[in-house]
Amino acid sequence: MKQNSKLEFLHNEYIQSLKRESRWVRFYQLIIFVVFFAGWEIFSRNQWIDPLIFSAPSKIWNLLIDKIADGSLFLDLGYTVSETVLGFILGTLLGTILAAILWWSPFLSKVLDPYLVVLNSMPKVALGPILIVALGPSMTSIVAMGAIISVIITTIVVYTSFREVDPNYLKVLQTFGATRFQSFREAILPACFPTIISTLKVNVGLSWVGVIVGEFLVSKRGLGYMIIYGFQVFNFTLVLLSLLVIAVFATIMYQLVELLEKKLIKNSSQ
Amino acid sequence: MGFLKIDEIHHTYFTKTSATTALSNISLEVEEGEFVSFLGPSGCGKTTLLSIIAGLLKPTEGKVTLEDQLLEKLDNQIGYMLQQDYLFPWKTIEENIQLGLKLNNQLTTEKMSYTYKLLEQMGLSGVEKQYPSQLSGGMRQRVALVRTLATEPKLLMLDEPFSALDYQTKLRLEDLVSDTLKSFGKTAILVTHDIGEAIAMSDRIFLFSPRPGQIYKIIHVPDELRALPPFQARNHELYSEIFQTIWKEVESVETEQ
């Protein structure tokens, strides 16, 4: 009994120390945040940095309020977010389908190997101007940018994981007379599910790059357009506002995919 | 008149730099309901021969017939059990054991209840909704046996199915497998490098010699041992006698190399 109460006491102490630590971590995170923005504001007001270029948090805040009030921020944000979501879903989907085709035909995969290497090493944003001319200066070409930037790397990563599935699982299926399609559906695809989800995470980041560059080039609307417009009229408050909004929403999207990953992986590895 | 006939099988593996003959001039017959073992050191082509019989590999020469039918025309009449269970971790036990039926579009309620009955026979009732990772190694191998038996194959091939298990589990499973196969009257081929296992479980033992794989000797297990379950057979006086004979044969195979 005495032993028990002592154990309980020690356990409580341990939990307390964990809580203390995480409180300190949060505290310092908050300090960095406050110091950064307060310092920015003070430096800007005292003209220690050029307020024309670096603006100030208070100016950015006021602009944010204005843009929320007239609704123009939500319009631009809506375009950019939907383009990014479409882009990375398309990129992951197309990449996985391509990987499946390569797995299906080992001959084709041998033939296409050098082309994949070339396409992968080429900076995809360089295709931007061609895409815009071909697809028109519209949402389509921006989504295409978001997708094209992630499709090849997805193909390579997913195809590699398809090939690394234990061949004995295929042997089991073959002894039951499974067709190649059945083998793919029953063994290859579910075994590689975790890999596909983790490429989703990488592709979220890549698609933001593709979409923002696409909006730079099309210059019509969206957060990328806000940046390029702000740059052209030398309104850096606008540029910094869009940057901050992008940072917030890219983080949210990444966290959502991570949440999805946790949920799906837990189910499949039970 | 054999149930399974293997006729002059040769098999050679080719690589860029070499051609390795894995099997040379293999001919044998297995009767219906018989339990035979392929015994031999590694590299004697036992698993290659199993793959050929299972139709997973096309032999360079020769043919295999089951009930006078060429292998290519056989559909799901041969069950194959591997060294490890290879249960699909993302499928429940239920989905795992019904996999063969599902792949062949035979998943009727009748067949489904047959799989549950098999599971119960293996002492595994109540695990249907669980995942393989929740079961022990011995239980998983039993589930794998149910999966193999679910499609009701005429011929069962066991490729060292007990080698990954601990000794006690292995002994217990030997009895269970032997009993199950006898009660269904299944024909079975066991590949093993364990002399004791071969004697305890089979009716006949084919001793293989390596490089290239050939049948070195055929040993008939005496009726007294055949009538006993594997565990009791291991305790019979004839067991150690025949163990010694085979041991000497195995030694002479190795010195010949």
Side-chain angles (χ1 to χ4, degrees):
Chain A
M1 198 56 209
K2 208 176 168 191
Q3 194 76 27
N4 257 344
S5 64
K6 194 178 175 197
L7 265 182
E8 213 166 283
F9 173 74
L10 285 173
H11 190 216
N12 270 331
E13 193 143 85
Y14 174 69
I15 290 171
Q16 288 302 321
S17 79
L18 281 186
K19 274 187 185 158
R20 248 195 321 271
E21 196 198 355
S22 79
R23 261 203 302 271
W24 278 112
V25 170
R26 282 266 175 265
F27 174 72
Y28 280 114
Q29 286 171 338
L30 201 69
I31 290 280
I32 292 176
F33 186 82
V34 170
V35 166
F36 178 74
F37 282 99
W40 184 1
E41 185 71 38
I42 293 164
F43 274 60
S44 174
R45 290 211 177 177
N46 292 318
Q47 308 258 339
W48 294 337
I49 52 175
D50 188 347
L52 205 58
I53 297 171
F54 295 103
S55 189
S58 57
K59 286 192 209 161
I60 295 171
W61 181 256
N62 288 336
L63 184 64
L64 177 72
I65 303 290
D66 284 353
K67 281 199 145 291
I68 288 174
D70 70 9
S72 63
L73 180 69
F74 294 115
L75 211 64
D76 284 320
L77 182 63
Y79 279 122
T80 304
V81 168
S82 45
E83 283 157 0
T84 309
V85 170
L86 268 176
F88 95 86
I89 289 175
L90 259 175
T92 313
L93 220 61
L94 279 177
T96 307
I97 291 169
L98 264 172
I101 293 170
L102 292 183
W103 177 83
W104 191 272
S105 163
F107 182 74
L108 187 68
S109 91
K110 274 181 204 155
V111 171
L112 293 183
D113 182 62
Y115 295 102
L116 280 177
V117 174
V118 170
L119 283 176
N120 186 44
S121 25
M122 192 177 64
K124 259 70 69 181
V125 288
L127 290 172
I130 298 168
L131 276 180
I132 288 160
V133 173
L135 300 172
S138 62
M139 197 162 159
T140 321
S141 56
I142 296 173
V143 171
M145 279 290 286
I148 214 165
I149 205 165
S150 56
V151 71
I152 301 295
I153 188 71
T154 306
T155 307
I156 292 173
V157 171
V158 173
Y159 175 60
T160 310
S161 86
F162 280 170
R163 290 206 342 192
E164 277 165 6
V165 173
D166 193 329
N168 282 305
Y169 283 120
L170 295 178
K171 196 168 173 183
V172 168
L173 290 168
Q174 275 164 19
T175 61
F176 288 128
T179 61
R180 206 161 162 78
F181 175 70
Q182 282 174 323
S183 300
F184 183 76
R185 199 186 52 195
E186 301 293 335
I188 301 288
L189 193 59
C192 295
F193 213 55
T195 314
I196 294 171
I197 299 290
S198 70
T199 60
L200 217 59
K201 251 161 72 183
V202 177
N203 291 350
V204 170
L206 287 175
S207 291
W208 273 100
V209 176
V211 165
I212 296 297
V213 171
E215 286 177 348
F216 279 3
L217 293 172
V218 173
S219 288
K220 242 179 171 175
R221 60 199 167 201
L223 297 173
Y225 164 67
M226 266 167 70
I227 292 176
I228 214 81
Y229 176 75
F231 164 64
Q232 282 162 353
V233 301
F234 221 75
N235 179 356
F236 276 81
T237 309
L238 185 62
V239 173
L240 286 163
L241 173 66
S242 357
L243 257 176
L244 289 176
V245 172
I246 289 171
V248 168
F249 278 85
T251 311
I252 290 175
M253 217 183 263
Y254 186 84
Q255 296 285 342
L256 283 177
V257 175
E258 208 163 47
L259 209 74
L260 181 83
E261 179 185 30
K262 266 191 199 139
K263 219 168 176 167
L264 290 174
I265 302 287
K266 207 198 282 165
N267 283 345
S268 65
S269 66
Q270 217 167 17
Chain B
M1 163 62 216
F3 176 67
L4 172 76
K5 272 193 235 172
I6 295 168
D7 202 13
E8 305 233 343
I9 294 277
H10 287 266
H11 192 73
T12 308
Y13 286 110
F14 296 102
T15 67
K16 239 184 224 170
T17 49
S18 66
T20 318
T21 301
L23 290 170
S24 155
N25 195 23
I26 306 276
S27 293
L28 60 91
E29 287 189 13
V30 181
E31 300 301 324
E32 187 160 12
E34 199 180 16
F35 195 117
V36 302
S37 289
F38 293 168
L39 182 68
S42 49
C44 68
K46 294 168 298 188
T47 300
T48 305
L49 185 56
L50 271 205
S51 296
I52 289 171
I53 299 172
L56 298 176
L57 198 66
K58 210 174 151 32
T60 321
E61 265 177 66
K63 62 174 192 208
V64 180
T65 55
L66 188 71
E67 291 183 310
D68 294 321
Q69 272 193 303
L70 266 181
L71 258 180
E72 292 98 67
K73 289 174 192 152
L74 295 171
D75 213 11
N76 249 304
Q77 310 215 21
I78 296 181
Y80 196 125
M81 209 168 138
L82 297 151
Q83 277 169 25
Q84 279 160 38
D85 52 78
Y86 288 109
L87 296 177
F88 293 83
W90 54 84
K91 291 180 186 286
T92 59
I93 299 303
E94 189 176 32
E95 288 164 344
N96 265 297
I97 60 176
Q98 290 166 356
L99 184 63
L101 296 171
K102 184 185 159 198
L103 291 175
N104 293 291
N105 290 322
Q106 295 177 332
L107 206 54
T108 58
T109 32
E110 193 187 328
K111 300 244 179 184
M112 268 163 90
S113 63
Y114 176 69
T115 61
Y116 297 131
K117 219 178 74 194
L118 278 173
L119 208 57
E120 208 183 312
Q121 257 180 340
M122 296 285 160
L124 287 170
S125 11
V127 300
E128 292 88 349
K129 302 285 178 214
Q130 292 184 11
Y131 285 87
S133 59
Q134 292 169 282
L135 306 185
S136 70
M139 288 164 94
R140 292 167 60 127
Q141 196 57 296
R142 275 182 277 166
V143 174
L145 180 64
V146 172
R147 177 173 68 185
T148 314
L149 288 173
T151 50
E152 300 179 64
K154 286 183 178 159
L155 174 67
L156 211 68
M157 299 201 296
L158 313 166
D159 188 358
E160 302 188 26
F162 312 119
S163 58
L165 302 170
D166 64 80
Y167 194 63
Q168 275 140 307
T169 312
K170 165 190 158 112
L171 289 183
R172 238 176 265 139
L173 262 186
E174 277 179 15
D175 271 14
L176 184 70
V177 168
S178 164
D179 185 47
T180 311
L181 296 188
K182 281 225 169 74
S183 72
F184 287 116
K186 293 263 192 250
T187 315
I189 300 173
L190 171 75
V191 161
T192 183
H193 52 245
D194 179 341
I195 300 173
E197 187 173 284
I199 301 169
M201 294 198 69
S202 39
D203 300 323
R204 266 192 303 159
I205 300 168
F206 292 89
L207 183 61
F208 280 69
S209 66
R211 278 171 288 267
Q214 290 178 40
I215 298 175
Y216 182 76
K217 194 130 203 180
I218 303 171
I219 297 125
H220 289 262
V221 178
D223 290 343
E224 291 93 321
L225 289 182
R226 290 170 54 184
L228 293 173
F231 187 74
Q232 288 172 35
R234 280 173 189 268
N235 292 319
H236 198 276
E237 55 195 12
L238 275 170
Y239 173 84
S240 49
E241 203 177 291
I242 198 163
F243 191 96
Q244 292 304 326
T245 333
I246 296 178
W247 179 258
K248 275 181 201 129
E249 298 286 5
V250 171
E251 296 250 281
S252 71
V253 166
E254 275 164 13
T255 48
E256 254 176 51
Q257 291 303 304

